[in-house]
């Protein structure tokens, strides 16, 4: 069965101390609530081990290297991420693709290394505003998915969480309508079904990301193919993040 997931992406925010305090406060605020989703916090690398040991929250890195180990100054490998206690790694975020030149080929390597090290990738895909206006958004999302993921075995693919994040909606306050998001999520699930069969597709969690917040989460999460959210801005504040989690 696919899981409902709400994952926060802190991006490059919070000092180590602020991050640990935030994580403890989030855990305390969630204690005693009956959650209908798994909660993940996506922290900068340096916070991972501390947050994983200070709380029972599920922790995700926001990136990992496309090489296993060696002379790659400044990089952090999938094995290192796994050694912190993190269970997930966000890969292919549009900010990584556009600011750091991460191509489908690079992401394919990162996905393989993440899986080899027991991490579940939260794999981000999504079109730009121009691509949607040109009506090529389905083609873009399909090629991002196929190029980076479709050489995986069905067993490995079943460890992937997909995050559909229209680039025009990330950090802009412009959320996709629930109809736009549902349409794309259904398309992604159909694309997965064509390759891996209906059972694998039905069991894949597909999250929506892009200016999701406490005001729109309930409507988005009520769509049949939306299994949760990858949340940037609204995950940085406990009071804003809880209503998103309670969107389920
Ligand atoms: C993100 O960073 O993945 C994201 C969806 O950001 P925001 O919620 O701020 O749009």
């Amino acid at each position: 069965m696919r899981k409902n997931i709400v994952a926060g992406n802190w991006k490059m925010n919070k000092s180590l101390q602020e991050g640990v305090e935030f994580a403890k406060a989030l855990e305390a605020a969630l204690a005693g609530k009956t959650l209908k989703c798994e909660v993940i916090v996506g922290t900068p690398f340096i916070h991972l081990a501390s947050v994983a040991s200070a709380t029972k929250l599920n922790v995700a890195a926001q990136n990992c290297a496309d090489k296993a180990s060696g002379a790659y100054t400044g990089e952090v490998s999938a094995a290192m991420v796994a050694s912190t206690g993190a269970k997930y790694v966000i890969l292919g975020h549009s900010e990584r693709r556009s600011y750091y030149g991460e191509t489908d080929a690079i992401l394919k390597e990162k996905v393989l290394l993440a899986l080899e090290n027991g991490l579940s990738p939260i794999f981000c895909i999504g079109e730009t505003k121009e691509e949607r206006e040109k009506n090529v958004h389905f083609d873009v999302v399909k090629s991002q998915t196929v190029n980076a993921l479709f050489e995986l075995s069905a067993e490995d693919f079943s460890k992937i969480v997909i995050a559909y994040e229209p680039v025009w909606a990330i950090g802009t306050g412009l959320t996709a309508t629930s109809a736009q998001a549902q349409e794309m999520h259904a398309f992604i699930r159909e694309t997965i079904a064509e390759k891996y069969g209906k059972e694998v597709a039905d069991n894949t969690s597909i999250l929506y990301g892009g200016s999701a917040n406490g005001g729109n989460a309930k409507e988005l999460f009520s769509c049949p193919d939306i299994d949760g959210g990858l949340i940037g801005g609204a995950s940085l504040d406990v009071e804003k993040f809880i209503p998103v989690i309670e969107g389920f």
Side-chain angles (χ1 to χ4, degrees), residues 13 24 35-36 45 86 92 98 114 158 164 177 207 209 220 236 238 247:
N13 290 294
K24 285 187 191 161
L35 299 180
K36 300 207 182 88
F45 288 130
S98 66
S158 68
Y164 168 59
T177 63
L207 316 184
L220 286 162
L236 291 173
V238 174

Side-chain angles (χ1 to χ4, degrees), residues 9 11 93 165 169-171 209-212 230-233:
N9 175 13
K11 311 194 186 197
H93 192 282
E165 298 207 300
I170 298 177
S211 300
L230 180 56
I231 315 296

